[in-house]
Amino acid sequence: MRPSSRTASQIRPVSITRNYTIHAEGSVLIEFGNTKVLCNASVNEGVPRFMKGQGKGWITAEYSMLPRATHTRSDREAARGKQGGRTLEIQRLIARSLRAAVDLKMLGENTIVVDCDVIQADGGTRTASITGACVALVDALSHMRTKGIIKNNPLKCMIAAISVGIFRGTPIADLEYLEDSEAETDMNVIMTDTGKLIEVQGTAEGEAFSFDELNEMLGLAKTGINELFDIQRTALS
Amino acid sequence: MRPSSRTASQIRPVSITRNYTIHAEGSVLIEFGNTKVLCNASVNEGVPRFMKGQGKGWITAEYSMLPRATHTRSDREAARGKQGGRTLEIQRLIARSLRAAVDLKMLGENTIVVDCDVIQADGGTRTASITGACVALVDALSHMRTKGIIKNNPLKCMIAAISVGIFRGTPIADLEYLEDSEAETDMNVIMTDTGKLIEVQGTAEGEAFSFDELNEMLGLAKTGINELFDIQRTALS
Amino acid sequence: MRPSSRTASQIRPVSITRNYTIHAEGSVLIEFGNTKVLCNASVNEGVPRFMKGQGKGWITAEYSMLPRATHTRSDREAARGKQGGRTLEIQRLIARSLRAAVDLKMLGENTIVVDCDVIQADGGTRTASITGACVALVDALSHMRTKGIIKNNPLKCMIAAISVGIFRGTPIADLEYLEDSEAETDMNVIMTDTGKLIEVQGTAEGEAFSFDELNEMLGLAKTGINELFDIQRTALS
Amino acid sequence: MRPSSRTASQIRPVSITRNYTIHAEGSVLIEFGNTKVLCNASVNEGVPRFMKGQGKGWITAEYSMLPRATHTRSDREAARGKQGGRTLEIQRLIARSLRAAVDLKMLGENTIVVDCDVIQADGGTRTASITGACVALVDALSHMRTKGIIKNNPLKCMIAAISVGIFRGTPIADLEYLEDSEAETDMNVIMTDTGKLIEVQGTAEGEAFSFDELNEMLGLAKTGINELFDIQRTALS
Amino acid sequence: MRPSSRTASQIRPVSITRNYTIHAEGSVLIEFGNTKVLCNASVNEGVPRFMKGQGKGWITAEYSMLPRATHTRSDREAARGKQGGRTLEIQRLIARSLRAAVDLKMLGENTIVVDCDVIQADGGTRTASITGACVALVDALSHMRTKGIIKNNPLKCMIAAISVGIFRGTPIADLEYLEDSEAETDMNVIMTDTGKLIEVQGTAEGEAFSFDELNEMLGLAKTGINELFDIQRTALS
Amino acid sequence: MRPSSRTASQIRPVSITRNYTIHAEGSVLIEFGNTKVLCNASVNEGVPRFMKGQGKGWITAEYSMLPRATHTRSDREAARGKQGGRTLEIQRLIARSLRAAVDLKMLGENTIVVDCDVIQADGGTRTASITGACVALVDALSHMRTKGIIKNNPLKCMIAAISVGIFRGTPIADLEYLEDSEAETDMNVIMTDTGKLIEVQGTAEGEAFSFDELNEMLGLAKTGINELFDIQRTALS
């Protein structure tokens, strides 16, 4: 039995609110149960120096948790003077995944920055970030077409992400904090709505896992992510 | 005529939502029109080194704007590796004001950290922060009494803050962004609900201001802040 | 009675030495009693990036205390690797005040940097800095006209600053360290020699202050600053 | 055909030199073809603050590339003043994997730091690091037993790592730089010599990958890692 | 002929003002011609962590130039967020030299920090710093004996320093900026008043120098430093 | 008697391996006994900003010790976020010395960066670095001529460096760690193969040294460096 009383494959109630703030070209509040992440997509002219002159665009991401998004207060990274390894790892993951969903040539020499700020954390902040960021990205791309910055939609597919893991010996989907902190294995899976994989990151926290367990987790991920695609579609329609 | 169509002394609709997030001991979302600040008060055992052994508590504050809280995206301070001068100035102001409202001896050797994170900005983020932080502080102090950490309420008074300024020659209250960016003089006033002043910061942005103008602005501030005390009281009742 | 044996409105002996060092275009040592600040104004061609192409000049300031300017040694900010909040706050204040005294258009695309380095501190370092920096600025502007960099004098007015406060219940002017550290309220006032206000920053350190006390402090400031204008004029003649 | 002329499953010649330097408790130079990493394991008394008092040990890792380990010179991270996201990600991965191989309770309150410094890079530096670090760890643990710091061997299993990927549509093992920079998908797999998985990190660089491709890559990884276990065993015997 | 019109061995007028500021235990303004350095020695209880429990004291130094001590303004190191290599090199040199003059055991577990802040620079700031710092150190040690912190004088000898160099083929002493910037070789020599060497640092800026030239420079240094010892003695008497 | 059993003037076995790594234009592993330094010279088009437009080249250097190059592990400078004073001092010394050996005009607007990374330390890392860096520089310059980047060889002379010191009262050459850590005086001498001095840095660690001792040390240095020139010549032939 899960602390959340959910079945092994049951994901939390997910809610997506578009236009959550007024300034960003794409602004989405995504909630995976008690996990709440604000995903703001900003459109900027030009690309970073290393991309200049290639006629291609760029997508980058930044991730942060508000200091009291968690049970106990964490130090503010701006006050500490640097972003931690976990933060850098997550924002690299978000950006890489979003870029895999977009034809950068069709974006022209423009940059989209997606800020994922965790307002409240209860496990799965990186998967919620990616799932919400994709919707914010869709809105930012619509804005670009409306403004005539680009002509066609550079989006190749939708992407969404979910965490799966092995908790007290059983593979489960969409772990919340209590489950995550106790899980033997933690895996994040990012997929396209064309049924392919963008990223698989499985980590043995305590016990190594078998190939069979890996496959069971991948199956749970596939099912859960398909539910997320439905929710994204509803939000965007 | 103000861009906001408000009368000179008219403040924006103000809304205060308590228990906005689940983890913080005091969690308040305050809205001054389109300006939205999340104020989370965290209670920690112990005090900073320079306060140790005095039997007194401490209150500190941190302030930040989400990168896309504003019209155009600002760099994330954590990514730049340091907090800017404006940020440090504002968080020092918030903390100093809150400390003026509390009997630190009655707090025992405990620290309250108030995080003011601006979700959306439209002028007046520091005055909204202070006004909301005071409510979050009240909730955190209640929590401490409920948990038996302190016996009596260390709060000496409520505090609230408002911006006033001179816009096209006329003193006005509670400036929003369009007004603020064009104002000749900008002043922030922080008061106690006992009718006294905690802080007065008036700055000539373009034109120096006269003693008469100063007094007119102070009058507007007094009126506006009294409205804020009513709204705080309603929220807390 | 003040520890300094001065009357409530009596300011300390003030001395202004021009051409204190040989390299800077304007170099002033200003002394407010035992407080000694070296104000060096440097003229540079060009403006910061955010000002480019507007045909206007810029004035900025930096402030620092020598580590042993104070009773006990403070850490050197260069060694700690960052400037503290107090430092940033003061240098922003100095620069903002000086800019209010100058017609930036008449300055052309040139920058003046004023370095205020506190050699010895005994209260009022920021007000001494501003009062001395204005004289150094005058000398730097003369230099620019002599060199043909600018044709006319961009100075709109002189500025000077003084601290006032409430000490053991009585408003007093120009607080020295012993008075400042015990004062209930501390206020810095910056004025033009045309009788207007540039900046008012009043802070309740322990006790909130009344509107009447505010007015008394403003009166003391006005009188004291007028004395400073006389001293500036004598130094410049 | 691979640029390396190897078959799809063929790994590069791997060489492990123990006692490569004289000071470290475990010192291993590992070569995967032209990729050369020096893995030094240092034994220190005590544990980091967050581990104190639990009677358990800790293992951490640091990773770096010499500036000219690569085709063109990269900036030195010490000179830039911070470690990049890629570096932090890799050293977190190395440390996490090593900890999964050790019973931290049997280590006592001691810390082992493993430094993986890349002398020359040609793809697969993180997998070479992990494979070499495990051997350096074994030597450091032997040293601890010899010195009487610990009584029994806390090693639960050997670990080794390999990269696999999809290159021009075909899954291949142990990618060198030319292959890696062009691969559609890149995956790092870390396993125990008990046949289980410690970490799986698959990333679509350009094209998303199918579940079938994932399984093919996993198969290649398993075969390659088993060869690495043989080479480790030979080196240690 | 030297730009300074001095003879090859002639040093600049040197002036030493003790008690230049009021707070430091030793406070000396030293002038080597137009080079002016304020040397403040601060006495602190305790020693740095790496010296604890050895019953010995410690002497350290910090060096800085005011931004406009030089012909053109240099960036402030506190604003740049780090001390440059030249600064670190000089302050290490000052501290090492002062420690060579003191019996650290007789100092007890106390630390003396000497801050050398260059008010105005015209060549030879490091040699002026060392020569002035030694006098400030003497005053700080007297203060310690007066306060009963130490019983006996831990000073083993006086130290002083001078720069010598080869300018247009001729060895000269005490180079000022115009000479220094053009010199083929630059050498700093630090000696004890017992006729021995503490530090010799000779650098070929453009042309390598011969052993004969080295000896000529050493001779000039010896003569010049002996004059400095006379000036120190007069200042201290 | 020296701990190393060497005679006073006897240097350690020195070995120079060219083309130690495959990517750098010049790559040399130099060994002074147990001290091993990898010197990689990288050729880059262009010069730093302060050199632009002068038609001259630039040579710079970076120095670092692997964390476990030493008896006990040192913190990694990249992890600490800054290079220490010793590191900066050494890399400035290496670069300055190399520049003295090259006609920068003949280099054209190109930069050579020499990275000296200490793999294993046993005293004399800076002198080994300089001696090895000169050989790497020769190879990088050959590469530039081969590639047609420059026409003629800009090298004016070879340089080499050795440490000398006073150990238990006796001047000795090429100190290893055990000798260095106990030496009363430590001196580094850098010479050209034309018999001239590039740099002399003598430091009294405990006892001041006499002019006679200085001359004895210089004599030892001259002899030792001449042996190094032979070894360089053999390596390059």
Side-chain angles (χ1 to χ4, degrees), chain A residues 20-25 38 42 62 64 66-71 73 76-79 81 83 113 115 117 120-121, chain B residues 20-25 38 42 62 64 66-71 73 76-79 81 83 113 115 117 120-121:
Chain A
Y20 188 73
T21 63
I22 56 177
H23 300 307
E25 284 73 34
L38 174 53
S42 299
E62 294 192 358
S64 181
L66 294 196
R68 196 55 196 281
T70 42
H71 283 261
R73 188 178 182 274
R76 189 179 290 269
E77 290 183 324
Q83 296 177 289
V113 185
D115 289 289
D117 286 274
Q120 190 171 281
Chain B
Y20 188 72
T21 63
I22 56 177
H23 300 307
E25 284 75 33
L38 174 53
S42 298
E62 294 192 359
S64 182
L66 295 195
R68 197 55 197 279
T70 43
H71 284 261
R73 190 178 181 274
R76 188 179 290 270
E77 291 183 322
Q83 296 176 292
V113 184
D115 288 290
D117 286 274
Q120 189 172 281

Side-chain angles (χ1 to χ4, degrees), chain C residues 4-234:
Chain C
S4 61
S5 308
R6 286 188 270 141
T7 63
S9 65
Q10 193 183 350
I11 66 172
R12 289 174 284 183
V14 171
S15 126
I16 292 175
T17 309
R18 289 162 67 203
N19 303 314
Y20 187 73
T21 62
I22 56 176
H23 299 306
E25 284 73 34
S27 179
V28 164
L29 182 78
I30 189 159
E31 301 172 65
F32 275 34
N34 277 326
T35 289
K36 300 183 187 194
V37 185
L38 175 51
C39 307
N40 279 337
S42 298
V43 176
N44 296 315
E45 223 180 287
V47 286
R49 185 175 309 194
F50 69 93
M51 291 291 294
K52 271 186 188 152
Q54 305 180 30
K56 290 164 64 178
W58 190 243
I59 297 173
T60 185
E62 293 191 0
Y63 168 95
S64 182
M65 293 215 287
L66 295 196
R68 197 54 198 279
T70 42
H71 285 262
T72 54
R73 188 176 183 277
S74 313
D75 284 345
R76 188 179 290 270
E77 290 182 324
R80 287 178 46 221
K82 64 173 177 176
Q83 296 177 291
R86 181 184 169 275
T87 294
L88 292 172
E89 202 172 303
I90 293 176
Q91 67 191 23
R92 281 159 55 92
L93 175 66
I94 299 170
R96 205 162 57 218
S97 304
L98 293 174
R99 284 195 296 269
V102 170
D103 183 327
L104 295 175
K105 276 186 195 155
M106 292 175 65
L107 198 55
E109 292 219 348
N110 298 293
T111 297
I112 298 176
V113 184
V114 186
D115 288 290
C116 297
D117 286 274
V118 179
I119 305 295
Q120 190 171 279
D122 188 30
T125 63
R126 84 186 71 186
T127 51
S129 293
I130 291 165
T131 308
C134 186
V135 178
L137 178 65
V138 168
D139 281 340
L141 292 172
S142 298
H143 168 93
M144 290 175 81
R145 273 175 299 160
T146 305
K147 293 280 170 190
I149 303 170
I150 52 173
K151 283 202 182 145
N152 301 303
N153 191 350
L155 198 77
K156 297 190 292 187
C157 55
M158 291 297 290
I159 64 167
I162 206 156
S163 73
V164 286
I166 300 176
F167 176 77
R168 300 185 191 163
T170 307
I172 59 173
D174 189 25
L175 288 71
E176 55 194 67
Y177 176 74
L178 271 182
E179 297 164 345
D180 187 51
S181 57
E182 204 192 307
E184 293 99 57
T185 293
D186 182 27
M187 185 158 87
N188 292 291
V189 181
I190 310 175
M191 287 182 64
T192 66
D193 62 354
T194 55
K196 292 204 159 183
L197 293 153
I198 292 280
E199 188 104 18
V200 173
Q201 292 200 346
T203 302
E205 300 286 347
E207 285 297 302
F209 54 102
S210 68
F211 282 80
D212 283 352
E213 287 169 324
L214 173 63
N215 281 325
E216 279 188 76
M217 288 190 286
L218 286 167
L220 284 173
K222 198 173 180 177
T223 310
I225 286 177
N226 279 332
E227 289 186 53
L228 294 176
F229 285 129
D230 285 341
I231 295 161
Q232 283 181 335
R233 245 172 259 128
T234 307

Side-chain angles (χ1 to χ4, degrees), chain F residues 22 46 52 120:
Chain F
I22 55 177
K52 272 188 187 150
Q120 190 172 279

Side-chain angles (χ1 to χ4, degrees), chain D residues 14-66:
Chain D
V14 171
S15 125
I16 292 176
T17 310
R18 288 163 68 203
N19 304 314
Y20 187 73
T21 62
I22 56 177
H23 300 306
E25 284 74 34
S27 179
V28 164
L29 182 77
I30 188 158
E31 301 172 65
F32 274 34
N34 278 325
T35 290
K36 301 184 185 193
V37 186
L38 174 52
C39 308
N40 279 338
S42 299
V43 176
N44 296 314
E45 221 182 289
V47 285
R49 185 176 309 194
F50 68 93
M51 291 291 294
K52 272 187 187 150
Q54 303 180 33
K56 290 163 64 180
W58 190 243
I59 297 173
T60 185
E62 294 192 359
Y63 168 93
S64 182
M65 293 215 288
L66 294 196

Side-chain angles (χ1 to χ4, degrees), chain B residues 127 130-131 158-162 189-192 225 228-229 232:
Chain B
T127 50
I130 290 164
T131 307
M158 291 298 288
I159 63 167
I162 206 157
V189 180
I190 310 175
M191 287 182 64
T192 66
I225 286 176
L228 295 175
F229 285 129
Q232 284 181 335

